[in-house]
Amino acid sequence: MFRKILQTCCTSGSSILGSFKSASKDLVNASSICTPHQTEAFWSNGSGFSALQFVRTKYTYKFKQARAIPGLIYWKPRTSGLRHKITIDYDFLGVHTGPPHKDLSTPVKNLAGRNSTGRITSWHRGGGMKKVLRQVDFGRTDLDGLPGTVERIEKDPNRSGFLALVKYQRDFELPFYKYHLAPAEVKSGDVIVSGSGSPIQVGSSLPIRDIPIGMPIHNLELYPGKGGQIARSASTAAIVQSKQNENAIVKLPSGEIRLIDLNCRATIGRVSNHLQRFINYGKAGERRKLGWRPVVRGIAMNPVDHPHGGRTNGGRPSCTPWGVYCKGQRTRLRNKPSNRFIITRKGGQPIQKFANAKKVKAKTERDRKAANVANQPQAKSKRGPTIVYSST
């Protein structure tokens, strides 16, 4: 088969065929031991022609396709559930998928979406694989001036981005380890530093006061010393737009423009795992392994269980079992105290316009009614002339 491909696709087939024969024996045995770096093409000549379009990996049921996006695994459609399945090749990316660091991990009990009284407060949760929670240091306040070496980049099943296991060691003390969110460009062996005065490089954690304008940041604090709360998911970043006396104007990943204290810390760079958005689980069973249970439509229920129940199609907007509209219903209070820190909402609406929208709408309605009353003609009285009788 490979001889036919070379004879039909290459003009100088004789010279290439000789080199191909020398590697044909290895090619036959390489179908089960292909390295991750051979995903795009197993063998190619000087003109750039790829002899193999599909390369078998060490798993007989998994194929890597030669495409422009390396690091993805396109599964062979042996079943309907695998036809559209796409996963991340962690071996290719050099990401550790084994057990976490023992001193920085804690097993988590599966509560199946129930609170302390046993009632379901988070729907569609339960089952799945056992989870081990990693203790991630989002603040890095006790590591100022102490350089740390990245031991490895790990996969965390509890988040979309990767984690970096960093080794620290103070003078005359034993080394200790910390988990941090891994930036996109940090790899094993890099050195990262925390605190004010740290070098402006990817992975450094320092106050926004010291971060240049236009620099992408992640793991951003809302209040000084509380730890990072914003821009922590895969491939997200915020942008420092400008600085004032006490606050910085930061554009968040959602598009919201917000004032943040200059003493709040952030990590330079973008969160790792830019391939997260390409994942396709392929079937419902993969979601069940992650702890997600099926979602039942309201129209499939009885009227006693849901407002949409009873097979009465239409006539009511989509709502929750308790009658709260779930499409377009605003959930933010217009007079929320944190409005003073927001300049523009995520849709581009100024916060003042959002806060005063209800008042403006009510005033417009009052003016409209007053104008209608003023424009209406005066109704003539149907009563006759009034006769006044004198007492004399």
Side-chain angles (χ1 to χ4, degrees):
M1 180 182 68
F2 300 110
R3 186 189 299 271
K4 184 180 296 184
I5 293 175
L6 292 174
Q7 289 177 351
T8 56
C9 299
C10 297
T11 56
S12 58
S14 59
S15 60
I16 300 176
L17 188 60
S19 61
F20 180 77
K21 286 182 178 180
S22 61
S24 58
K25 295 182 180 180
D26 297 334
L27 183 62
V28 174
N29 298 326
S31 59
S32 60
I33 58 173
C34 244
T35 61
H37 299 285
Q38 296 169 332
T39 55
E40 296 186 4
F42 184 85
W43 174 84
S44 61
N45 59 11
S47 61
F49 168 73
S50 179
L52 295 182
Q53 294 299 323
F54 292 91
V55 179
R56 190 188 299 269
T57 66
K58 59 183 178 180
Y59 302 104
T60 58
Y61 50 86
K62 188 165 55 175
F63 275 69
K64 292 180 182 177
Q65 191 172 356
R67 291 196 176 181
I69 303 177
L72 293 179
I73 297 176
Y74 300 82
W75 289 66
K76 181 180 179 181
R78 295 175 64 249
T79 61
S80 299
L82 298 179
R83 182 169 301 279
H84 303 289
K85 185 175 181 180
I86 301 175
T87 56
I88 298 176
D89 189 0
Y90 297 103
D91 295 336
F92 178 83
L93 301 178
V95 178
H96 175 74
T97 57
H101 195 273
K102 187 176 181 180
D103 298 336
L104 300 175
S105 58
T106 305
V108 180
K109 184 180 179 181
N110 187 6
L111 300 178
R114 290 164 172 79
N115 60 3
S116 58
T117 62
R119 298 186 178 184
I120 296 178
T121 57
S122 181
W123 285 28
H124 320 130
R125 300 310 304 264
M129 307 293 290
K130 292 184 178 179
K131 293 182 173 59
V132 178
L133 185 65
R134 278 77 168 171
Q135 300 174 9
V136 184
D137 185 5
F138 294 108
R140 298 168 64 171
T141 55
D142 57 340
L143 303 172
D144 291 354
L146 184 63
T149 305
V150 178
E151 293 291 317
R152 65 191 182 195
I153 305 296
E154 294 189 11
K155 174 196 173 185
D156 187 2
N158 305 304
R159 67 188 70 252
S160 57
F162 299 143
L163 292 181
L165 181 64
V166 185
K167 178 181 178 181
Y168 295 95
Q169 184 173 11
R170 294 189 175 93
D171 295 337
F172 311 108
E173 294 184 8
L174 294 176
F176 61 95
Y177 294 87
K178 292 279 188 179
Y179 272 132
H180 303 311
L181 287 179
E185 300 177 4
V186 170
K187 58 184 180 302
S188 179
D190 292 350
V191 178
I192 59 176
V193 188
S194 306
S196 181
S198 301
I200 307 300
Q201 62 182 13
V202 177
S204 297
S205 177
L206 59 163
I208 302 180
R209 187 185 308 274
D210 301 334
I211 298 178
I213 296 176
M215 184 72 67
I217 56 177
H218 68 276
N219 192 30
L220 176 61
E221 291 182 338
L222 276 178
Y223 304 98
K226 191 176 181 180
Q229 296 177 267
I230 301 178
R232 303 195 315 191
S233 61
S235 189
T236 57
I239 303 294
V240 181
Q241 291 188 337
S242 62
K243 298 180 182 179
Q244 300 176 353
N245 295 332
E246 297 180 356
N247 299 316
I249 299 179
V250 181
K251 184 176 183 181
L252 305 184
S254 63
E256 178 180 301
I257 300 177
R258 189 183 183 99
L259 294 175
I260 297 181
D261 196 324
L262 288 175
N263 296 321
C264 291
R265 291 196 177 195
T267 306
I268 298 177
R270 186 178 296 271
V271 185
S272 55
N273 195 11
H274 65 286
L275 300 175
Q276 173 69 20
R277 62 191 181 97
F278 297 105
I279 292 180
N280 189 343
Y281 294 103
K283 58 182 181 180
E286 294 297 323
R287 295 285 291 170
R288 293 301 297 266
K289 294 178 183 178
L290 300 177
W292 290 99
R293 299 187 68 244
V295 179
V296 181
R297 296 168 295 123
I299 198 173
M301 301 181 185
N302 295 322
V304 70
D305 299 319
H306 201 281
H308 293 167
R311 293 293 178 183
T312 304
N313 296 325
R316 179 162 186 171
S318 299
C319 61
T320 65
W322 302 276
V324 180
Y325 293 139
C326 55
K327 291 183 179 179
Q329 179 71 14
R330 295 188 182 274
T331 58
R332 181 180 177 85
L333 297 178
R334 296 187 186 273
N335 59 347
K336 197 169 184 178
S338 61
N339 284 351
R340 65 182 185 272
F341 299 114
I342 300 175
I343 300 176
T344 305
R345 300 194 73 208
K346 64 179 182 179
Q349 182 185 30
I351 190 63
Q352 293 299 330
K353 184 177 180 180
F354 167 77
N356 300 327
K358 207 168 187 178
K359 299 178 182 178
V360 172
K361 185 177 180 180
K363 183 178 182 303
T364 304
E365 185 66 18
R366 289 195 303 267
D367 295 344
R368 186 185 64 82
K369 290 182 178 180
N372 292 339
V373 172
N375 295 332
Q376 288 180 356
Q378 295 292 336
K380 295 182 179 180
S381 176
K382 296 183 180 179
R383 297 174 59 185
T386 303
I387 302 175
V388 178
Y389 296 92
S390 176
S391 59
T392 57

